[in-house]
Amino acid sequence: MDAEIDSVAVLGAGSMGHGIAEVAALAGYEVRLRDISEDLVQRGYEQIEWSLDKLSEKSQISDGDAAAALSRIEPVVDLEAAASDADVVVEAVPERMEVKREVYAELESVADDDAVFVSNTSSLSIGELAGVTDRPERFCGMHFFNPPVRMELVEVVAGPDTAAGTLDLVAELATSMGKTPVRVHGDTPGFVVNRVLVPLLNEGAWLVHRGEATVAEVDATARFELALPMGAFELADQVGIDVAVHVLEHLHQQLGDAYEPCPLLVEKVDAGALGKKSGEGFYDYDEGVDVPADAARDDVADVLVAVMAAEVAALVDADVADAAAIDRALELGAGFSDGPAAMADDRGLDALVATLDDRREETDAPRYDVPASLRDRAESGGRFHAAAPS
């Protein structure tokens, strides 16, 4: 696809939308930020102004660059005014399929015929969204991570009909914004990062729900044994337990019982204890988070890494991404010091398969099923990554 991008429309002025608009403006693009009411779009615009001021105060950009970026952003409510002459339209509306489908149906009638549509969805089907439009070959996922101004990763997700040129264009767009694109070749629920992270936090919840570990033990293991930036329950609180359950429900519906949300998570949502945003989740944010380093357990680490290894194998088998891309995505998008494939190699695939088999026999839970390719690798002494030369 031979195209030059000058203007970007961002639909949705919430935390993701206004963040994407800000990075696009900082990269030099003319941006129209759109939401359904003047109040919502103005609130998003004011958040951009505040963020640019902070970047300037910290000398991360100059005062002139901040002012120039802000001048490139026009807040609008009318969809046609936002999208009619945009080269790329970035959709960042609420993560509900019916809402997104309605937006695309309306957008198709006002956007330029040559415009590229991208969705910031974190888990919904790119193919289904593209099917609402008349341009599935010019439609793909462009999944930023929160907050977009700071997070480096962008998952560029192919739908079943996405043209190679569209993926190239969107990857170049991400690079021009100072991001690192990781291509996701299969339109699988959860893409790469959420497909690994959300089952990880779900497994932590199952361990506690079954009385096999405490919240402190799970989070200490993740932090101090596996060197993850935060524990499973810290992560659930950070992203919102309701958001985690929503993604799990989608994975459960699309991929089967291995992704059944743990009742412990559902109970928190039902009680309104959604995590940091509500002041309380698995931790009380009036008291702060204290994860004891001496509570880490090696057997808990084995289970957590084994579950991630199964997800990596499933993604590789489906040609969604290779092990190197999966590791890069988790390092950039979730702050892993080592990616899940490298972690699995370090612990030994044979040991992890044995862990999964033991737990499958003990619990009869399908989340411990071993992908055939993972078992084959383990039995042959293989790894996800080639061994480093000695």
Side-chain angles (χ1 to χ4, degrees):
M1 177 177 291
D2 184 17
E4 184 174 330
I5 301 173
D6 296 311
S7 59
V8 175
V10 180
L11 309 184
S15 61
M16 291 303 296
H18 71 66
I20 295 166
E22 181 177 351
V23 297
L26 282 167
Y29 298 104
E30 296 297 322
V31 180
R32 290 197 179 98
L33 177 65
R34 188 258 180 179
D35 216 313
I36 58 175
S37 73
E38 188 66 36
D39 178 61
L40 288 173
V41 77
Q42 196 59 38
R43 195 181 310 165
Y45 183 80
E46 289 168 1
Q47 284 295 312
I48 295 171
E49 188 172 19
W50 175 88
S51 175
L52 290 169
D53 285 345
K54 287 297 181 184
L55 292 174
S56 177
E57 284 176 18
K58 295 175 181 178
S59 299
Q60 294 177 350
I61 60 174
S62 69
D63 290 348
D65 286 343
L70 193 65
S71 72
R72 296 186 192 105
I73 300 171
E74 180 184 357
V76 298
V77 173
D78 182 72
L79 182 62
E80 185 172 4
S84 61
D85 60 355
D87 299 311
V88 174
V89 180
V90 182
E91 170 269 305
V93 306
E95 190 75 349
R96 294 195 296 276
M97 180 61 79
E98 65 275 13
V99 174
K100 292 180 184 290
R101 287 174 61 92
E102 288 175 9
V103 167
Y104 282 115
E106 186 178 358
L107 177 63
E108 186 61 61
S109 67
V110 299
D112 187 270
D113 288 344
D114 294 328
V116 170
F117 292 175
V118 300
S119 177
N120 184 56
T121 180
S122 60
S123 61
L124 299 179
S125 169
I126 297 301
E128 184 172 346
L129 292 172
V132 180
T133 77
D134 297 328
R135 61 191 79 202
E137 74 286 354
R138 294 194 305 283
F139 193 116
C140 70
M142 191 181 189
H143 178 213
F144 289 80
F145 286 73
N146 200 16
V149 175
R150 292 207 308 267
M151 297 297 287
E152 186 179 345
L153 176 67
V154 171
E155 291 179 319
V156 177
V157 187
D161 300 306
T162 306
T166 298
L167 297 174
D168 291 341
L169 182 77
V170 173
E172 289 168 9
L173 175 62
T175 300
S176 75
M177 294 178 179
K179 306 304 177 186
T180 298
V182 169
R183 298 202 188 197
V184 181
H185 300 290
D187 183 15
T188 188
F191 310 141
V192 170
V193 173
N194 280 335
R195 180 69 177 272
V196 175
L197 271 190
V198 176
L200 173 68
L201 68 85
N202 196 39
E203 184 57 33
W206 278 108
L207 289 170
V208 173
H209 178 70
R210 286 174 47 84
E212 298 178 69
T214 65
V215 168
E217 287 170 338
V218 170
D219 278 4
T221 300
R223 271 228 222 162
F224 303 111
E225 177 76 12
L226 303 180
L228 303 186
M230 62 180 68
F233 294 101
E234 288 182 281
L235 177 64
D237 276 3
Q238 184 73 29
V239 303
I241 301 170
D242 55 332
V243 175
V245 168
H246 176 74
V247 174
L248 280 165
E249 287 173 343
H250 179 65
L251 295 176
H252 188 201
Q253 180 183 30
Q254 297 294 316
L255 299 174
D257 288 343
Y259 302 91
E260 177 188 0
C262 177
L264 185 62
L265 298 173
V266 177
E267 289 163 9
K268 286 289 186 182
V269 174
D270 290 345
L274 306 181
K276 195 171 184 179
K277 63 186 176 184
S278 67
E280 182 179 359
F282 289 102
Y283 294 93
D284 185 332
Y285 289 87
D286 288 333
E287 299 178 1
V289 175
D290 181 22
V291 179
D294 60 357
R297 286 173 42 187
D298 199 56
D299 60 331
V300 171
D302 284 339
V303 176
L304 297 180
V305 177
V307 167
M308 288 193 288
E311 294 298 337
V312 170
L315 290 169
V316 172
D317 289 350
D319 292 325
V320 172
D322 61 24
I326 293 167
D327 279 0
R328 186 69 172 145
L330 270 295
E331 289 162 5
L332 294 174
F336 280 32
S337 55
D338 285 315
M343 291 167 59
D345 285 346
D346 286 346
R347 293 190 87 82
L349 300 190
D350 54 345
L352 298 178
V353 167
T355 295
L356 291 168
D357 283 341
D358 288 346
R359 296 193 66 79
R360 181 64 162 104
E361 183 176 354
E362 178 185 348
T363 67
D364 199 34
R367 66 183 179 277
Y368 300 122
D369 286 344
V370 179
S373 67
L374 180 59
R375 191 179 299 282
D376 290 345
R377 274 193 176 91
E379 290 177 351
S380 65
R383 301 159 51 92
F384 285 114
H385 298 288
S390 56

